Amino acid sequence: MSGKPLQGSDRMHELVHALLRTLSRGELVQTVAYVALSLGSALAGALAAVLLVPLVQPTHPLPFDGGIFAAHGSFEVQAGMFAAASVSFALLRWLAARLSARLLGQYGMHLRRSVHARLIDVPLVSLADSSSAEIANVLTYNVEIIVQGFAALQQLLVVGITSAVSLAFAFWVSPPLMLTTPLLIALGWMASRMYGREQAAVSRQSVADLTRLFWHSEDFPRRLRHVRSFEREGAEKASHGEVSARLCHSYRRQLELIASGRLVLELIGAAGIAGVFVLAHHWHGIDQASLIAVCLLLGRLLPYLVSTRQSFQQLRSAAPAFELWQRYMQLTDASLSAAASPVAPSGGAMHIEHMRLKPPPAGLDVDELVLAPGEITLISGDSGIGKSSLVDVLAGMMAPELFVAHINGRPMGFDEYRDRVRRGAYVSQNVRPWQRSVRECLLWAAPDATDPMLQSALTDVGLDKRLAVSSDGLDTSLNSSSSRLSGGELQRLMLAQVILRQPFLALLDEATSALDAASEIAVLSAMKRRLPATILIVVSHRSGVAEIADQHLIIGNDLVTTVAETVERRHATAESASRKHVVL
C-alpha cells in the first residue's frame, strides 16, 4: 500500500488503485460480477433504446433492419422485443444494485475490522502522537467517507460501461453522426477535472474539523462539569461554533462545486445533442430513424452526466479519509503482542537486577526489583515522571532499553518475562467500562464465570450492597441515569474484573484514585487476599498504601529510583527465617 499522500485529481488514479488493493479476494470477485451485470444492463438499455425507433417511426426502419430487428410484418412483435429488452434492463440493473449494496456493506465492515485489528496489535509507542479523537474518527465516520468514495467508484464504472456501450450502438446506427464524439468526450473530461484541487483542499479540511469535533465531544459529561466550573460556557460554544462554521462552509462549498460541475456537464450535453441535430440537418444522407436512434442513445447518458460530477467529487472527498485510514494500517504490528505459547508461570519470584527504559527522555533506571506472587509492590512519584512508562514495561507491552533479570537462580530475558506475564490485568485511572451492564462487564473478563462467582467478586470490592438496592442486580445498566454508577463504583467494578481474571500479574495504575483512603486500603487488602498467586503492582500517590505493600518503589524528581521493603515484607521475611530456625 502506497505511503504517498493523495492530492487532487492528478492523483485520482493512485486513489483508485489504492482502493482496489484493499479489496479482499471475495470482494474482487463480487466487483467483477458487478461489472458484468452493469455491462449486461448497459447492453439491454441500449438495445431497448434502438428498438424504440421502429415503434416511434414505423415507416422508417433502421438501416440495419433485419435479423433480430426484423419486424416480421408485426408491430406487436416489435413491441414485445422492446418490452423484453426493457425488462431485462430493469432486472439486470436491480441485480447490480443489490450486489453493489452487499459489496459496499462488506467493504465497510472489512475496513473497520482491519483498522481496529491493527490498532489492537500495534506497539503502544506507535500511538504516542495520536489523539483519542483522531482514533475514534478513523474507526467511525472516516470509514463512512471511504465507503462513499468506493460507491462513487462503482457509479463511475457504470457510467463508463454505459457510455461505451451507448456510443458503440450510436456508431453502429450512424457512423457519420459519431464524428462529434471526440469533442464531446474532451469537453466532458475537462469538466470532470474542474475544481479538483479546491475539492481536495475542502475535503482535507473537513476531515481535520471532524476530528476536532470528536475531541470536543469526548467524555462530554466530565468535560461539561469542567467547563461550567470555570464559567467558560461561552468560550466552549464559540470554539465549537467555529469548527461547526468551517464544516458548514466545507459542506456548502462541496455542494456548490457539485452543482457547478453538474451545470457544466448539462450544458455540454444539451449543446452536444443540439449539435447532433444541426449536423444531421445539414448533412445529407442521414435519415430520420438514425437521428432518432442516436439521440435516444446519447439522451441515455444525460442522467449519468449529472451523477458523474458528483461521483468524482465523492471520490476526491474520500482521498484524505483514505490517507488517514492508510496511516493507521501502515503501523507495524507489535512483536510484543504476537501470539505465542505462554510460559506457565512458576511460583518463584522474578528478580529484576537492572532495567532501563525511555520515556522519560533522560531515561529511567530501576535496580533490584523483586516481583513475587501474593505480594503488593507500590510505585509512587510525581506526575509525568515515568510511572506509566514503567508500568507499560512491567506489563510486557513496551520493551525496555536494557533488561537483566533472573528467576529461580537462572537468567531470564525480556521475551521470557513478557510470556510469563501474558496472563495479566492492567487497569488504569481513566479506563471506564464500555459494556452495557454489570454482568456484561464482568463476563467480558471471565466468560465462564457463574453468577455466584460474579457476586463473590463484587463483594470483595465492596460493590455488592450498591447492586443489592437495584432491582436489576447483575443486569444493572451502566448507562441509564437511574442506575448509573459513580466514578468510585466504576473503579470497583473494574477491580472485580481483575479478581475474576485471576491474573499472574495485575497492574493498577491509579485504579483506586476515586476511592477514599480507607476504601482503597480495604479493597487492595481484599484483592491481595483473593489473589495469592498474583503479583500486584499498584501506582498510587497515597502514602497509606505503603502500610499494606510488601515493597515500595519510589521515583525521585532526579529520576533516581529507590526500592525498599516495607514493614509487612520484613515481618514476613523474619517469620520465614524463624520457622526455618525452629525446623533446624
Side-chain angles (χ1 to χ4, degrees):
M1 202 174 285
S2 174
K4 295 183 290 185
L6 303 170
Q7 299 177 357
S9 58
D10 56 334
R11 305 289 296 279
M12 186 64 67
H13 67 284
E14 293 189 26
L15 172 62
V16 172
H17 292 162
L19 282 172
L20 293 178
R21 284 198 297 269
T22 62
L23 296 176
S24 65
R25 180 175 299 178
E27 290 165 347
L28 282 173
V29 171
Q30 292 185 67
T31 300
V32 172
Y34 174 74
V35 171
L37 286 172
S38 299
L39 178 59
S41 174
L43 289 170
L47 182 59
V50 172
L51 291 174
L52 183 61
V53 175
L55 300 178
V56 177
Q57 293 285 335
T59 60
H60 292 78
L62 293 172
F64 48 80
D65 190 32
I68 63 170
F69 299 102
H72 300 296
S74 172
F75 186 85
E76 287 74 15
V77 171
Q78 290 181 322
M81 293 173 60
F82 167 75
S86 298
V87 169
S88 299
F89 167 69
L91 287 175
L92 288 170
R93 188 169 62 174
W94 175 72
L95 290 173
R98 285 175 59 87
L99 182 58
S100 172
R102 185 182 307 115
L103 179 57
L104 287 174
Q106 291 177 353
Y107 184 62
M109 176 184 67
H110 166 67
L111 291 181
R112 287 192 180 88
R113 285 182 172 178
S114 298
V115 73
H116 183 266
R118 183 58 55 91
L119 284 167
I120 290 293
D121 292 336
V122 297
L124 291 176
V125 293
S126 299
L127 302 177
D129 297 327
S130 300
S131 69
S132 58
E134 183 177 81
I135 294 174
N137 190 17
V138 80
L139 290 172
T140 53
Y141 184 76
N142 196 69
V143 172
E144 289 301 311
I145 300 178
I146 301 174
V147 172
Q148 290 174 14
F150 186 63
L153 180 59
Q154 286 186 336
Q155 182 64 27
L156 290 173
L157 281 173
V158 173
V159 171
I161 292 171
T162 303
S163 299
V165 170
S166 297
L167 292 174
F169 266 76
F171 184 80
W172 182 25
V173 170
S174 180
L177 287 175
M178 295 312 297
L179 293 176
T180 58
T181 299
L183 178 60
L184 294 176
I185 292 177
L187 292 174
W189 177 77
M190 291 175 60
S192 68
R193 291 176 60 89
M194 293 175 62
Y195 316 116
R197 293 187 181 278
E198 182 180 359
Q199 175 66 26
V202 169
S203 300
R204 277 173 168 70
Q205 185 61 50
S206 294
V207 171
D209 287 334
L210 283 169
T211 299
R212 289 288 304 276
L213 279 189
F214 268 96
W215 187 261
H216 271 279
S217 307
E218 193 177 37
D219 202 4
F220 190 79
R222 289 188 176 186
R223 183 188 183 98
L224 181 59
R225 293 181 177 90
H226 184 74
V227 169
R228 286 180 176 174
S229 67
F230 279 76
E231 298 182 321
R232 296 292 291 168
E233 294 94 335
E236 192 70 8
K237 291 176 183 177
S239 177
H240 190 280
E242 180 183 349
V243 180
S244 299
R246 287 200 301 270
L247 279 172
C248 172
H249 171 76
S250 298
Y251 186 69
R252 175 179 60 80
R253 190 56 187 152
Q254 285 176 354
L255 294 181
E256 288 175 350
L257 292 172
I258 291 172
S260 299
R262 184 170 61 225
L263 173 62
V264 172
L265 289 171
E266 287 175 339
L267 292 177
I268 291 174
I273 292 178
V276 171
F277 276 105
V278 172
L279 179 63
H281 178 71
H282 293 285
W283 197 326
H284 298 291
I286 298 179
D287 61 19
Q288 191 174 7
S290 298
L291 177 61
I292 293 173
V294 170
C295 289
L296 286 173
L297 288 166
L298 295 180
R300 291 186 67 240
L301 302 182
L302 280 179
Y304 291 110
L305 289 176
V306 175
S307 62
T308 297
R309 178 61 186 175
Q310 185 171 359
S311 297
F312 272 112
Q313 300 289 11
Q314 287 181 335
L315 195 54
R316 290 191 183 98
S317 298
F322 188 70
E323 281 183 46
L324 184 61
W325 183 87
Q326 272 189 313
R327 179 154 62 84
Y328 281 92
M329 284 300 299
Q330 289 168 348
L331 296 177
T332 306
D333 287 350
S335 59
L336 299 182
S337 300
S341 301
V343 176
S346 65
M350 298 184 293
H351 185 177
I352 300 175
E353 301 173 32
H354 180 69
M355 177 170 62
R356 180 174 177 80
L357 60 128
K358 288 184 177 182
L364 184 67
D365 293 281
V366 177
D367 298 311
E368 302 301 328
L369 178 63
V370 179
L371 303 178
E375 293 189 352
I376 294 179
T377 296
L378 171 64
I379 299 177
S380 62
D382 290 341
S383 298
I385 208 165
K387 298 190 299 297
S388 294
S389 297
L390 174 58
V391 171
D392 285 341
V393 171
L394 293 176
M397 297 182 183
M398 189 172 76
E401 286 191 344
L402 181 65
F403 186 84
V404 180
H406 66 263
I407 182 171
N408 296 329
R410 62 175 181 80
M412 176 182 63
F414 187 73
D415 287 342
E416 180 182 346
Y417 172 84
R418 183 190 64 240
D419 289 336
R420 286 183 174 276
V421 302
R422 188 176 298 276
R423 183 173 178 81
Y426 190 147
V427 183
S428 64
Q429 177 182 6
N430 296 322
V431 173
R432 300 168 64 87
W434 55 91
Q435 295 82 9
R436 289 169 294 182
S437 67
V438 171
R439 183 192 301 276
E440 185 179 341
C441 178
L442 296 179
L443 290 178
W444 178 88
D448 298 327
T450 61
D451 280 9
M453 294 169 63
L454 302 184
Q455 293 286 2
S456 176
L458 293 173
T459 300
D460 291 328
V461 298
L463 199 55
D464 54 325
K465 295 180 181 179
R466 167 64 174 81
L467 296 182
V469 300
S470 172
S471 58
D472 295 324
L474 289 172
D475 295 313
T476 297
S477 173
L478 297 179
N479 300 315
S480 172
S481 59
S482 61
S483 60
R484 185 176 295 125
L485 303 183
S486 67
E489 290 168 338
L490 289 174
Q491 285 192 337
R492 292 176 189 266
L493 182 60
M494 301 294 279
L495 296 176
Q497 283 186 333
V498 177
I499 293 176
L500 290 168
R501 166 77 166 158
Q502 293 289 307
F504 177 68
L505 174 69
L507 300 112
L508 311 181
D509 188 359
E510 300 192 50
T512 53
S513 59
L515 304 179
D516 59 72
S519 298
E520 180 180 41
I521 298 300
V523 170
L524 291 177
S525 298
M527 294 184 69
K528 182 178 181 181
R529 183 174 62 255
R530 279 293 306 273
L531 301 172
T534 297
I535 300 169
L536 279 168
I537 297 178
V538 179
V539 177
S540 177
H541 291 286
R542 291 173 176 156
S543 58
V545 178
E547 298 177 4
I548 62 169
D550 298 281
Q551 65 177 338
H552 188 180
L553 189 157
I554 303 172
I555 305 176
N557 292 331
D558 53 1
L559 296 181
V560 174
T561 60
T562 303
V563 179
E565 290 187 342
T566 61
V567 175
E568 182 159 330
R569 176 184 274 183
R570 287 197 295 270
H571 286 172
T573 303
E575 290 178 4
S576 176
S578 176
R579 286 194 296 269
K580 290 181 180 179
H581 179 74
V582 170
V583 171
L584 292 175

